[in-house]
Amino acid sequence: MIEHRKPIPVSEAVQKVMEHAHSIGAETVSLEHSYNRILAEPIVAGHAVPPFDRSPYDGFAIISGSSREASGDNRIRFEIVDHIGAGKVSAEVLSGNQAVRIMTGAPLPKNADAVVMFEQTVESTDSFTIRKPFEKLENVSLKGEDVQQGEVVIESGHLIHPGTVALLATFGYAHVQVAKQPVVGILSTGTELLDVSEPLAPGKIRNSNGPMIAAQLARMGLGCKMYGLSMDDLDQSFTIVKKAAAETDCLITTGGVSVGDFDFLPAIYERLGAEVLFNKVAMRPGSVTTVAVADGKYLFGLSGNPSACFTGFELFVRPALLKMRGAEKRYLPHTKAILAEDFTKANPFTRFIRAVYDGEFIKPAGFNKSNAVASIAKGNALIVLPGGTRGFEKGDIVDVLLLGMEEGSALWKL
């Protein structure tokens, strides 16, 4: 049983967690199943993009030199000798004042080196006139101007989002090497907990932490194994935790990490022979957050209070899982914002306040005790107020961690 609890700074706790995270390997998936996975190989351009000089507009391909004398007083006439759309190639070799009607994305015909947009012309049946000269390569998209053949476009370790999928498809990656997904288990502890489908009873509350963590994992693209609810019985809880830890890469428990008569997780960690990385963090909410490692497996002991549980997941579990997946950007993105209302509560520990951020101003999302639930639903960010302060006033600039972002930061900045 762990008795002495000395709080450590949040940054130190994050560092301790990340030191024990390791990649669990790679696998191949089809392109259609690659979204929200982490690249385990770099994306290398198999060809240039664009693969040829092409028109970025609907218009006419011309030889720029033939337009040299064009002006408002001297309109130059061009003869239309062909008409091509995207995916087609003109067989014409232009000379003099010949032109090809060309659609967006089509390759330039031979000898053409400029494109005249439709709105820059006065068109007749088989010809058009222009009133200005065109420079060489004006309105031309050049071969390789976006990506050169052989270029490493995206390094491994990056999240595959819709833009990445577009790149993979562009270069013919029908199958992609991605990091394996860690197996994550969730176990909620406490005799006061009811399943979400059960009616309320005196002294009971419904288990919100389990479904919440499952949703936080889903937002990361991860599934989970649910181990249900554990009663406040040491032997029974130990049996469940031991089984779950053997079947997962990471077990997240909620509740049971405080110092009450029925908080058994410290004793369970001791029975498992786990190395406890820390059992108290200088933060609010979630100071009792405990992290241990047993046989190379993470044991995250999060608070049973919903807001503390939510915050502990975002600060510690999320980056560890991302590192296990080989991600380079593991931490919540950081910014600064203007506090929109006073927050006068003193902060002996670093405080993480569920908040609403509009891109400039930020304010608490509502009731902010550790057992709050509504503010989690309303908030899209965390205000970070350092420990040792005596409160903040409206207009102060504060640190902010953004929630729900597709990809985060490579560095912990607080």
Side-chain angles (χ1 to χ4, degrees):
M1 178 74 70
I2 299 168
E3 297 177 353
H4 180 63
R5 295 198 172 205
K6 181 180 179 181
I8 65 173
V10 175
S11 58
E12 183 181 343
V14 170
Q15 181 181 356
K16 284 177 176 291
V17 169
M18 298 306 282
E19 284 174 352
H20 285 79
H22 59 274
S23 173
I24 56 175
E27 62 184 351
T28 301
V29 299
S30 65
L31 178 61
E32 64 189 88
H33 293 118
S34 67
Y35 171 69
N36 219 14
R37 300 294 296 269
I38 303 296
L39 280 169
E41 63 176 334
I43 301 177
V44 180
H47 56 76
V49 179
F52 43 75
D53 294 345
R54 65 185 181 185
S55 175
Y57 305 110
D58 295 337
F60 298 98
I62 66 169
I63 299 171
S64 60
S66 300
S67 68
R68 190 174 299 114
E69 303 300 324
S71 69
D73 298 324
N74 181 38
R75 300 192 72 91
I76 301 294
R77 179 181 176 277
F78 285 82
E79 176 190 5
I80 303 171
V81 297
D82 198 5
H83 179 186
I84 58 170
K88 302 293 183 181
V89 178
S90 176
E92 297 291 336
V93 179
L94 297 187
S95 61
N97 284 48
Q98 292 181 327
V100 169
R101 187 180 179 93
I102 191 170
M103 300 296 105
T104 301
L108 262 62
K110 291 182 180 178
N111 289 347
D113 62 1
V115 173
V116 181
M117 292 184 286
F118 285 152
E119 54 266 37
Q120 296 173 305
T121 71
V122 174
E123 189 176 356
S124 59
T125 303
D126 57 0
S127 66
F128 64 90
T129 62
I130 58 175
R131 55 180 295 173
K132 68 170 283 293
F134 284 77
E135 299 294 327
K136 184 175 182 179
L137 303 182
E138 185 170 346
N139 296 334
V140 173
S141 181
L142 295 175
K143 176 181 179 179
E145 67 179 7
D146 185 4
V147 180
Q148 293 288 327
Q149 183 174 359
E151 179 181 343
V152 176
V153 190
I154 303 289
E155 297 283 357
S156 61
H158 284 259
L159 177 75
I160 300 177
H161 54 64
T164 323
V165 172
L167 267 182
L168 290 164
T170 295
F171 297 118
Y173 283 82
H175 294 87
V176 193
Q177 280 281 308
V178 297
K180 285 184 177 178
Q181 303 279 63
V183 179
V184 184
I186 301 175
L187 171 64
S188 300
T189 69
T191 53
E192 78 279 14
L193 297 179
L194 298 171
D195 185 77
V196 296
S197 62
E198 294 182 275
L200 284 178
K204 302 289 186 178
I205 59 174
R206 293 190 182 94
N207 173 30
S208 62
N209 288 338
M212 177 180 70
I213 294 172
Q216 287 174 286
L217 290 167
R219 185 155 67 180
M220 297 177 62
L222 292 172
C224 61
K225 300 182 71 169
M226 302 294 289
Y227 288 91
L229 304 174
S230 170
M231 306 296 285
D232 286 321
D233 175 84
L234 177 57
D235 291 332
Q236 179 192 47
S237 296
F238 173 74
T239 300
I240 297 173
V241 170
K242 183 178 181 181
K243 176 179 185 295
E247 296 174 350
T248 62
D249 299 301
C250 167
L251 176 63
I252 304 168
T253 57
T254 67
V257 289
S258 295
V259 291
D261 292 340
F262 298 99
D263 294 314
F264 294 130
L265 279 175
I268 290 172
Y269 293 155
E270 187 174 21
R271 282 195 188 185
L272 288 173
E275 176 189 359
V276 177
L277 306 184
F278 53 85
N279 59 16
K280 194 172 182 64
V281 186
M283 61 183 278
R284 291 282 192 273
S287 64
V288 297
T289 300
T290 301
V291 181
V293 177
D295 296 325
K297 309 287 188 70
Y298 273 118
L299 301 169
F300 285 99
L302 303 184
S303 170
N305 288 317
S307 287
C309 179
F310 177 89
T311 303
F313 179 96
E314 294 295 329
L315 296 184
F316 306 117
V317 183
R318 182 180 183 274
L321 291 175
L322 284 171
K323 186 176 179 182
M324 291 172 72
R325 298 169 73 197
E328 290 296 322
K329 298 179 179 180
R330 302 159 185 165
Y331 304 104
L332 294 175
H334 167 266
T335 188
K336 290 183 179 288
I338 303 168
L339 193 60
E341 60 184 58
D342 293 343
F343 191 89
T344 57
K345 193 168 186 177
N347 295 286
F349 287 175
T350 301
R351 190 173 292 277
F352 295 86
I353 303 156
R354 282 81 60 209
V356 178
Y357 174 59
D358 67 4
E360 182 179 7
F361 295 94
I362 193 163
K363 63 180 181 180
F367 182 64
N368 253 288
K369 289 191 175 179
S370 63
N371 61 347
V373 178
S375 61
I376 307 175
K378 296 174 183 176
N380 62 356
L382 295 172
I383 301 172
V384 185
L385 302 182
T389 57
R390 298 187 61 82
F392 289 76
E393 297 179 350
K394 179 179 178 180
D396 286 345
I397 304 299
V398 294
D399 289 302
V400 175
L401 294 175
L402 302 177
L403 300 169
M405 305 297 286
E406 200 168 37
E407 195 167 26
S409 169
L411 300 173
W412 174 261
K413 299 184 179 181
L414 295 171

